């Protein structure tokens, strides 16, 4: 039992090493959501803690390698990234099972995670003191989505979501 657990931890670490190395080599800037300390303190049950620990480990690796490769690694405020419309900024609440973002104000429609990723991206750019890069093609992925990671082309900015499975 203990051995099986160690094997899983090692696999997660291997996977995180691969992704973080790839990210800092491929991109000039990587934006990640900061851990939500409030919800972490409120969290009941072990699952949430494990997920946060994995995310913390991922960010630690990413920041270390960002230093080595000269890649900006920026943690941004995570609150509201799902609710906020990436186009007009109007907030609308959605339940966890609603996978689409459909803005009641401007009509912008996209995937829930894509909308959140765009918000993280905008927050990251403003942290770096840059405006929204109108002319720069930008791709967004979540860290767990290896299929998407493999399809990524030559964009220079990436945002990662969460490592939840
Ligand atoms: Zn909108």
């Amino acid at each position: 039992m203990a051995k099986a657990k160690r094997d899983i931890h090692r696999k997660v670490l291997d996977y995180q090493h691969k992704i973080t190395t790839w990210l800092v080599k491929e991109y000039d800037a990587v934006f990640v959501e900061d851990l939500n300390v409030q919800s972490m303190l409120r969290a009941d049950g072990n699952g949430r803690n494990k997920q946060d620990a994995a995310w913390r480990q991922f960010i630690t690796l990413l920041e270390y390698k960002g230093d080595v490769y000269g890649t900006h690694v920026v943690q941004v405020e995570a609150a509201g990234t799902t609710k906020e419309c990436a186009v007009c900024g109007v907030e609308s609440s959605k339940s966890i099972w609603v996978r689409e973002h459909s803005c009641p104000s401007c009509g912008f429609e996209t995937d829930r995670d894509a909308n959140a990723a765009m918000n993280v991206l905008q927050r990251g750019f403003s942290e770096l003191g840059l405006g929204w890069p109108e002319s720069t093609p930008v791709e967004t992925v979540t860290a767990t989505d290896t299929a998407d990671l493999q399809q990524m082309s030559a964009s220079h900015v990436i945002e990662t979501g969460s490592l939840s499975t």
Side-chain angles (χ1 to χ4, degrees), residues 96-151:
I96 189 76
W97 59 85
V98 177
R99 302 310 305 166
E100 296 293 311
H101 170 79
S102 179
C103 181
S105 179
C106 74
F108 178 57
E109 287 185 1
T110 187
D111 177 73
R112 174 200 183 97
D113 292 336
N115 179 67
M118 283 183 244
N119 283 323
V120 171
L121 204 54
Q122 291 182 39
R123 291 177 189 195
F125 278 120
S126 80
E127 286 279 323
L128 288 177
L130 303 168
W132 179 247
E134 299 281 348
S135 59
T136 308
V138 160
E139 295 198 43
T140 57
V141 296
T142 52
T144 40
D145 202 334
T146 47
D148 276 357
L149 285 171
Q150 281 155 11
Q151 285 165 19

